[in-house]
Amino acid sequence: VQLQASGGGLVQAGGSLRLSCAASGFTFSRYFMGWFRQAPGKEREFVAAISWTSRTIDYADSVKGRFTISRDNAKNTVYLQMNSLKPEDTAVFYCAAGGAPSRRPVAYDYWGQGTLVTVSS
């Protein structure tokens, strides 16, 4: 099982980034996919999640209206489009796969290695 996150980088406040997470080794279309982030010295927190068919989508209040999660089951990839980025969005972003919708990290079975997003003011 592998989840390969990419797309992180350094961006100015107000800018945009698109994260991708390519999955392999499991039946991607049968898993709920989530994005989490962890800032230095803080706990890992929920960002967004999307169901198998994209019918159910959930966002943390802190990113609602700025971030968009999507998935392409044909490409085994989940995306996170991040607009209007703020310095407080600076964190390592992780993608994860789980069997049921949840905001709790423990509910997810597989995790990627993370990609660093740095937003400068």
Side-chain angles (χ1 to χ4, degrees), residues 1-2 9 15-16 27 31 39 41 44 47 49 59 66-67 71 76 86-88 90 93 95-96 99 101 106 110 116:
V1 171
Q2 189 171 16
S16 299
T27 307
Y31 277 78
R44 191 168 297 191
V47 175
Y59 294 102
R66 300 188 298 122
F67 291 9
R71 67 189 294 163
N76 286 359
K86 305 174 181 180
E88 52 264 42
T90 295
F93 281 72
C95 59
V106 295
Y110 308 128
L116 177 63

Side-chain angles (χ1 to χ4, degrees), residues 50-57 71:
I50 187 168
S51 65
W52 312 269
T53 60
S54 304
R55 188 170 298 176
T56 300
I57 291 177
R71 67 189 294 163

